[in-house]
Amino acid sequence: MKRIILLIAICMATSAFANAQACNALDVNMGFANNSLKSSLANTWHIISDDMQKLLFTPDVWKAELAKVMNCSPSSFPSNWMDRVRDNYDQLKAIADNDGKTKVWKERPFQRPTEQAIVKTKYLAKYPGVKILKIGSNYKDWNVFKNSLGIPTNRYIRGEILLQIPGRPYCQAQEWVIKQAYNGGGYSASVAENVGGAGYFVKCP
């Protein structure tokens, strides 16, 4: 009986040690997060990825998701787990809060109903519960991209969409692209590219 109890204790200790070891990846992951925050600070528009938006506005959710990836309990995080990102976090959070209260989204000059309908469908699928407030295109017609020989390779429509995503305190603008590949005899069906993933904060209309 004593031997069984001893084995159970050893197993529990081994399991706890394994979890502690998994949490050693925290420093590496916080390094990646710090670089992402720094990149957004350096960007003229302060475009922030979905992941870093989650860290800025719902850090407990971000922490729980990171812990799951590392196979580690959030309770195992040290109390100072955000120290490595604190300076960049505070700077970017202040900018996002200010932009969300003061920056006005500039409407795009053109409308492309067919392409924009494709984009809206993609955004509704990517962000459940999202509110699509406005959308527009930068181009009146297709912009053709050619290779060095002057042969078309594709054509595209680029624009922006104004959204209100659940869990975010402000509205944000995100860029979208619709592309058609050139196959020698014409263009392929439209494909939505660069849909979702990052945006900059603005006032809600």
Side-chain angles (χ1 to χ4, degrees):
M1 183 66 179
K2 289 182 179 180
R3 180 171 178 173
I4 293 174
I5 293 173
L6 178 60
L7 287 173
I8 292 173
I10 292 173
C11 289
M12 291 177 66
T14 302
S15 176
F17 179 75
N19 282 335
Q21 288 294 95
C23 285
N24 286 339
L26 177 61
D27 188 57
V28 173
N29 281 282
M30 296 310 293
F32 288 139
N34 200 42
N35 288 337
S36 294
L37 295 171
K38 192 181 300 183
S39 178
S40 292
L41 284 169
N43 183 277
T44 302
W45 288 91
H46 302 302
I47 295 172
I48 307 171
S49 70
D50 288 348
D51 189 44
M52 290 302 98
Q53 288 185 30
K54 192 174 293 183
L55 174 60
L56 289 181
F57 298 109
T58 53
D60 287 341
V61 173
W62 189 86
K63 176 183 178 182
E65 291 181 357
L66 176 60
K68 186 175 181 180
V69 169
M70 296 191 301
N71 191 29
C72 174
S73 170
S75 62
S76 299
F77 282 40
S79 58
N80 63 343
W81 69 278
M82 284 191 66
D83 279 4
R84 183 165 181 178
V85 303
R86 179 57 65 184
D87 288 346
N88 289 327
Y89 173 95
D90 288 344
Q91 289 183 55
L92 189 58
K93 179 70 163 54
I95 290 171
D97 285 333
N98 183 68
D99 287 350
K101 296 172 183 176
T102 63
K103 184 178 286 187
V104 178
W105 182 67
K106 184 178 180 181
E107 295 197 32
R108 305 298 98 175
F110 306 107
Q111 292 294 310
R112 298 284 302 187
T114 300
E115 289 76 33
Q116 289 169 195
I118 297 173
V119 171
K120 288 180 180 180
T121 299
K122 291 289 186 179
Y123 270 98
L124 290 170
K126 183 174 182 63
Y127 300 111
V130 68
K131 292 181 181 178
I132 296 176
L133 304 174
K134 295 184 179 182
I135 187 171
S137 170
N138 296 337
Y139 307 135
K140 184 178 181 179
D141 202 354
W142 293 98
N143 194 347
V144 178
F145 184 84
K146 299 179 180 180
N147 62 21
S148 60
L149 300 176
I151 300 173
T153 60
N154 64 72
R155 62 181 185 179
Y156 61 92
I157 295 289
R158 186 188 304 274
E160 278 194 355
I161 188 168
L162 184 62
L163 307 165
Q164 190 167 22
I165 298 176
R168 307 291 181 266
Y170 313 110
C171 290
Q172 64 181 281
Q174 296 194 6
E175 185 181 62
W176 56 266
V177 175
I178 292 286
K179 184 180 290 185
Q180 292 181 344
Y182 185 71
N183 55 24
Y187 289 95
S188 65
S190 295
V191 176
E193 295 188 350
N194 198 33
V195 172
Y200 62 92
F201 288 101
V202 294
K203 289 174 60 176
C204 291

